[in-house]
């Protein structure tokens, strides 16, 4: 039986960092080293201000760091020492070349795999942690076998990660399931068992699922596509609600009580964001095209199309409500992260919305409790032949509170569902008093009690609810 004693994780990002920190926290007899080619990121992991914000992460890292949890830029030495290696590098959508805008860019996976092949001096279990297209393990195997000079045996496992940002530690400590795919050979099954034994240090055995490699790879894309599909479905219904007087929260609640549907992931919104949903669906669309399944590709593509529509629809509502122009008007945007409890802004709906506000020549005041000014400028500017930074700076003000953002604003737009924007936490009377009148509030997260805010004087518009909802 193979017993894992030394783990290397290549990629110290949103997945590699928390995932392997939790392994170190739960398995004190395993040495876990997380490596990255980005020295600033590693320095931050070794400092008192970790590079990512995730509730509960600091406590876990600070407890195990320097004991059995290490962060390093010495990729080669860490690979050599390890008996199991997680490959947890980024797999963004390709920007250029074949499959641009759809396919996953596997360059980082390939370079990490080549590095393992070049420097390994003993057998390794190599684990795909990154989200990858179906059959990537085959390419990794080919690279490992062709480039290994020492005739070393490599086993490849697929162990996709299902954590959601903002709840990563909770998800990792108590996962719905852990999925481990392996080649159905004697060696493959032994490697699979070794990784099962790592997880069962804290995850109940019945929640550790073992499958073949290809099922495991596809399950990750499938799970994200199904989750995103639910959001696009409820968002499509939110448009019907606004047009009819139905209330999307009531519809979602009543549908969710059907035990076949369940209540989760039916919250209408300004559109899903995050680094995964869009990328992974496009990946599935590309895979379907490659497999000559155009109808399947079109089916999944519609989930992304609906998401884009939802964001544009929200912008159109804002402009038309503000008397068809927002030029020189001040719009206060509450929230910039793609969801609450994270500082991550990748594919955040806020970026699309604010870029549209800038194009309409509005003045935009932004407040987010966890996103830095520099990150906001990086997301909104497009460096290139014509650097847009100067223009963006003229139209954007980054604020240190919701009150500052809303001062003298014509409209407040809630984009991220941070708890501090709830109507029992934020003093909306104070906000109202300091705004231009009429004072508009657009709720892209169904976060506030519209009736309560209307009583204060706000003109409120909530996604999936029109003002006359429920009336004859
Ligand atoms: N973010 C999430 O919530 C989440 C959840 C589940 C799965 N995933 C998947 O996990 C993977 C990683 O996502 P992430 O959000 O952690 O990405 P990330 O960009 O935060 O982190 C990836 C890290 O890998 C490093 N890296 C790239 N190539 C390297 C190499 N050759 N050697 C060493 N380091 C290298 C980068 O410098 C970066 O720090 C992706 O495939 C993603 O789809 C992400
Ligand atoms: O009912 C809902 C639920 C979510 N969202 C939005 O959907 C996006 C994604 O949210 P969530 O799935 O909670 O966060 P992620 O961190 O993107 O996690 C998803 O993507 C990860 C990366 O693949 C997977 O590991 C997770 O299982 C999967 O939930 C965010 O913008 C949310 O605001 C809604 O609009 N309505």
């Amino acid at each position: 039986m193979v017993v894992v004693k030394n783990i290397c994780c290549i990629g110290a990002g949103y997945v590699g960092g928390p995932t392997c920190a939790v392994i170190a926290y739960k398995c004190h007899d395993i040495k876990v080293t997380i490596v990255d080619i980005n020295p600033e990121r590693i320095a931050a992991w070794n400092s008192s201000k970790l590079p990512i914000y995730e509730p509960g992460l600091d406590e876990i890292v600070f407890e195990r760091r320097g004991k059995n949890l290490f962060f390093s830029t010495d990729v080669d030495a860490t690979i050599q020492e390890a008996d199991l290696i997680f490959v947890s590098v980024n797999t963004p959508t390709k920007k250029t070349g074949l499959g641009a805008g759809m396919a996953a860019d596997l360059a980082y996976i390939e370079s990490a795999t080549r590095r393992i092949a070049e420097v390994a001096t003993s057998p390794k279990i190599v684990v795909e942690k990154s989200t990858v297209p179906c059959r990537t393990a085959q390419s990794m195997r080919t690279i490992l076998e062709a480039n290994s000079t020492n005739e070393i045996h490599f086993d490849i496992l697929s162990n996709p990660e299902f954590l959601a940002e903002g709840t990563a530690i909770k998800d990792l400590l108590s996962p719905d399931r852990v999925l481990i795919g392996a080649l159905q050979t004697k060696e493959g099954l032994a490697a699979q068992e070794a990784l099962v034994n790592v997880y069962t240090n804290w995850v109940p055995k019945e929640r550790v699922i073992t499958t073949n490699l290809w099922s495991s790879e596809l399950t990750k894309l499938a799970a994200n596509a199904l989750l995103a599909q639910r959001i696009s479905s409820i968002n499509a219904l939110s448009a019907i609600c606004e047009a009819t007087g139905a209330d999307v929260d009531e519809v979602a609640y009543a549908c969710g009580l059907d035990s076949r549907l369940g209540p989760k992931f039916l919250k209408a919104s300004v559109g899903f964001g995050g680094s995964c949903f869009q990328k992974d669906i496009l990946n599935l669309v590309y895979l379907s095209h490659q497999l000559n399944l155009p109808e399947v590709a079109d089916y999944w593509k519609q989930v992304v199309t609906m998401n884009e529509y939802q964001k544009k629809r929200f912008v159109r509502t804002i402009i038309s409500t503000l008397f068809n122009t927002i030029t020189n008007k001040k719009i206060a945007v509450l929230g910039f992260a793609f969801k609450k409890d994270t500082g991550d802004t990748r594919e955040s709906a806020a970026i699309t919305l604010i870029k549209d506000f800038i194009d309409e020549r509005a003045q935009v005041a932004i407040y987010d409790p966890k996103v830095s000014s520099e990150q906001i400028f990086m997301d909104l500017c497009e460096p290139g032949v014509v650097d847009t930074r100067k223009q963006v700076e003229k139209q954007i003000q980054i604020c240190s509170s919701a009150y500052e953002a809303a001062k003298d604003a014509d409209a407040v737009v809630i984009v991220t569902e941070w708890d501090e924007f709830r109507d029992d936490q934020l003093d909306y009377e104070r906000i109202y008093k300091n705004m231009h009148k009429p004072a508009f509030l657009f709720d892209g997260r169904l976060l506030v009690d519209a009736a309560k805010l209307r009583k204060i004087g706000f003109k409120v518009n909530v996604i999936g609810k029109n003002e006359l909802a429920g009336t004859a």
Side-chain angles (χ1 to χ4, degrees), residues 97-119:
L98 206 62
M102 286 264 179
D105 183 348
L106 298 177
Y108 304 98
I109 293 273
E110 180 168 340
S111 72
T113 310
R114 283 185 187 277
R115 203 72 218 139
I116 297 170
E118 277 163 33
V119 305

Side-chain angles (χ1 to χ4, degrees), residues 104 114 117 137 145 166 221 229 249 260-261 275 282 301 338 360 419 427 452:
R114 283 185 187 277
E145 284 173 357
L221 298 184
Q229 182 206 42
D249 266 341
R260 293 169 302 175
L261 291 171
S275 62
L282 293 177
K301 183 75 200 299
F338 80 96
E360 295 288 335
D419 288 339
D427 182 351
K452 183 172 158 188

Side-chain angles (χ1 to χ4, degrees), residues 166-183:
T167 54
I169 298 303
K170 191 174 135 277
D171 296 342
L172 288 164
L173 291 174
S174 179
D176 286 348
R177 79 311 205 176
V178 168
L179 177 59
I180 305 173
L183 269 190

Side-chain angles (χ1 to χ4, degrees), residues 261-404:
L261 291 171
K264 294 183 182 165
F265 258 71
L266 282 178
K267 191 77 182 166
S269 68
V270 58
F272 60 72
S275 62
C276 296
F277 280 172
Q278 177 173 307
K279 158 176 87 72
D280 294 347
I281 292 172
L282 293 177
N283 200 331
L284 193 61
V285 171
Y286 187 71
L287 182 72
S288 308
H289 276 303
Q290 276 190 318
L291 298 170
N292 202 17
L293 301 167
E295 289 82 1
V296 178
D298 290 350
Y299 176 79
W300 288 113
K301 183 75 200 299
Q302 191 59 24
V303 174
V304 174
T305 305
M306 182 52 61
N307 198 48
E308 291 305 308
Y309 167 75
Q310 186 75 346
K311 290 186 264 184
K312 292 291 175 194
R313 202 168 72 76
F314 193 51
V315 170
R316 273 202 301 274
T317 303
I318 293 170
I319 296 173
S320 67
T321 310
L322 287 171
F323 316 112
N324 287 317
T325 176
I326 56 171
T327 302
N328 292 330
K329 288 183 181 162
K330 181 173 173 185
I331 313 284
V333 172
L334 302 191
F336 195 87
F338 80 96
K339 62 186 282 199
K340 73 169 180 177
D341 292 337
T342 176
D344 195 352
T345 62
R346 291 177 289 180
E347 303 297 337
S348 177
I351 300 171
T352 314
L353 262 54
I354 295 169
K355 281 186 172 171
D356 282 357
F357 297 157
I358 291 174
D359 285 347
E360 295 288 335
R361 287 180 284 132
Q363 292 296 321
V364 188
I366 305 166
Y367 167 65
D368 187 287
K370 286 290 172 199
V371 181
S372 69
S373 308
E374 212 26 59
Q375 184 62 49
I376 293 177
F377 278 114
M378 257 164 55
D379 288 331
L380 295 177
C381 297
E382 274 152 32
V385 188
V386 183
D387 195 334
T388 57
R389 172 105 189 195
K390 280 212 166 66
Q391 188 54 36
V392 170
E393 275 174 1
K394 279 191 202 146
Q395 287 180 254
I396 294 293
Q397 176 197 356
I398 315 276
C399 302
S400 52
S401 74
Y403 301 111
E404 186 191 347

